Amino acid sequence: MRSEQTLTAPNASALSLQVAEWLITRLASSSGRRSIALSGGSTPLALFRCLARPEQARRIDWQHLHIFWSDERWVPYTDARSNYGAAYESLLRHVPIPSHNIHPVPTEHSPEHAAKDYARTLQAFYGSPNLDPAQPLFDAVLLGIGADGHTASLFPGQEAPAAMEQWAMAARPEGQLPRVTLTVPVLNSTAALAFLVTGQQKRDIVARVRKGEAGLPASRIDPTGDLVWFLDHAAAGSVH
Ligand code: 6PG
């Protein structure tokens, strides 16, 4: 039976430690090969730095953990806006994770080409092109929410993926970098999904998404496993 929880903390730093401990516990509760999908943006950076600290890092079985991304901006990995680059610099280069366990979204050719490529990578990892709710693709997915209700790189008003079974797609949000994003069914294929949101400026959108407001991509997130809201008090408002 899946659960939905809301955990709050006074500030982003305390929240990051809470998320790190939650993730460590989740990963320790399963055996064999494990996989997580990381979101981009600025909020998870404090979490990544926390996971890189010895007192957290030594409790993760990096040899059996595979890292994917919920989305990526169309920039070189060395660009400060790269989600992979940010995770590598703040976490992955500091921990003993085998390089073949790290699966960044490719950023060659075109976002459309990269989306097809990444879908193939995910399907090869999963072992099938068809997601089975009883066998989630990820052990955990970490997502942020933008002030407009986007999550990953699924933006309001964006056309739905061409085919429902599309695992990844190109996104070209108005006035922003082109991106590649996992689609909703793939993000939902997880044993646990955590929204990590901080700051007063997100309070309104958090409340709207939690009410399931239509038209907000974050409202379409409905994981097969557990859903956890990690909110600092500023983003949580009256929730905490
Ligand atoms: C991205 C993210 C995106 C992010 C939200 C929140 O690549 O931008 O995946 O979905 O999670 O925009 O970003 P902040 O954490 O910077 O507020």
Side-chain angles (χ1 to χ4, degrees), residues 51-161:
L51 288 169
R53 289 201 304 239
E55 59 271 33
Q56 276 73 37
R58 63 179 167 75
R59 291 185 283 141
I60 293 176
D61 176 7
W62 299 101
Q63 292 304 309
H64 295 97
L65 178 61
H66 288 257
I67 310 278
F68 296 87
W69 275 264
S70 64
D71 63 318
E72 185 55 276
R73 292 86 176 273
W74 197 249
V75 289
Y77 294 151
T78 50
D79 187 299
R81 296 164 295 181
S82 165
N83 291 340
Y84 162 76
Y88 181 78
E89 285 304 320
S90 55
L91 170 58
L92 300 176
R93 63 191 286 263
H94 305 286
V95 295
I97 184 168
S99 57
H100 57 260
N101 285 19
I102 302 173
H103 308 277
V105 177
T107 53
E108 292 94 30
H109 305 297
S110 72
E112 289 74 10
H113 184 277
K116 288 194 177 72
D117 217 3
Y118 207 48
R120 277 193 293 273
T121 299
L122 288 161
Q123 290 171 6
F125 180 81
Y126 186 65
S128 165
N130 304 306
L131 290 167
D132 173 357
Q135 299 286 334
L137 166 60
F138 297 117
D139 292 278
V141 170
L142 295 174
L143 289 179
I145 298 180
D148 62 356
H150 81 259
T151 192
S153 285
L154 299 164
F155 288 83
Q158 189 178 14
E159 74 284 354

